[in-house]
Amino acid sequence: MRQKQSPLFTKDEITRISAPLDKAYTLPAAAYTSEEIYRAEQKKIFKKSWLPIGRIEQLPEAGSFIAADLLDQPIIAVRDTEQEIRVLSNVCLHRAARLVEGEGKQLKFTCPYHAWSYDTKGQLIAAPMMETAKNFDIRDCKLPEIRSEIWEGFIMATLDPNAKPFASQVKGLTEQFTQYQIAEHVIQRTLEFDSNWNWKVLVENFMEAYHHIGTHSTTLQPGFPSRQSRVPDNDGPWSILEMPTGESAEDAADHGSLKPTPGIKEEDLGTLWANVAFPCLTFAVQSDMLIWFQIIPRTVDNFLLKVHLCIHKQNLDLPDLQRQLDASAEIVSFIHTEDIAANDIVWRGLNAPLTTQGRLSTYEKSIWQMNQWWLSKMELA
Ligand code: FES
Ligand SMILES: [Fe+2]
């Protein structure tokens, strides 16, 4: 039988990626910089995976909506009049105009082009001046619906009608974080960063604590030392990085005025977790905060990053909440500035002609886990 050959990676390169963790190498630089690979990722990964498009608290009432793009498909995530969250095509059934931009609340979506109107379930409810058209009945016209699923408050959507349900793929991840009540968290602040690297540069940076000794030597390293980080085995398309605190239990339990989520085990009170459901549901959890890194890839070398700071609903009434959130936003922003500097130098290196695959540390097990998944999704394994 003929071996399927990849024109982009040599057999040796693939062997290095798929080697056991203690012998493994990174992906080749082209995996990050090549337009061709990016296009293949769109087809084989992004169009076939579940992608996060919002959180349920962003759609609090009937008619609340977010307009976005799921790859090349404009979408509207909307809460309908029966309180169901739906993800609809945001393309008019008449001559394909985009129906709505941004976010807000409305019970009717009227196309700006010729004023056809749709309800919150995507049903066409008015099509002005169409009474002379033969065999046309607005009741036959409904915006296509995109598969969606709510997981722990995240609105997940996929363009693949055959994708396995998301929750069934991330059972291990779900179980690990039950005590954190992720679904009970609500977005309070959002920071935005235009990011000029391939999306995987950020995901990898997010998934390992090895770089605390370099990039965050004075910020994260004292509290979350690289050497204490652990990555459990996974049994699905996800990865967990556990960062136990290096501080005393007393310091670890001191979270300003934010109360830790009730029921969290004593030993986890100070632990920071960084998790990814591949390819890009990327979130950090602590006993008093959920931080969602929403990655919206735009080109091979650019994505929009929205960092959402979310707190448990029990903390919404704290008298000094705004001050607390200001302080948290400042810390998160400062740490991310350190990561931006790291990602910038990596990105320059990935684009250099002499760059070769590097050896992974065993402390980068989550990158290794994602690489194995990436190879198989890209049909290179
Ligand atoms: S394109 Fe929407 S009404 Fe014509
Ligand atoms: Fe970092």
Side-chain angles (χ1 to χ4, degrees), residues 205 211 216 339:
N205 170 261
H211 75 285
H216 307 299
D339 282 318

Side-chain angles (χ1 to χ4, degrees), residues 202 204-209 211-212 215-216 219-220 335-336 338-340 342-343:
L202 180 93
E204 292 180 2
N205 170 261
F206 182 85
M207 285 198 293
E208 51 91 353
H211 75 285
H212 290 188
T215 306
H216 307 299
T219 48
L220 289 177
I335 302 285
H336 188 61
E338 294 181 328
D339 282 318
I340 288 174
N343 293 341

Side-chain angles (χ1 to χ4, degrees), residues 258-277:
L258 289 174
K259 287 181 284 205
T261 298
I264 291 195
K265 287 182 252 156
E266 185 75 26
E267 68 265 29
D268 287 335
L269 279 177
T271 305
L272 172 63
W273 307 81
N275 313 304
V276 183

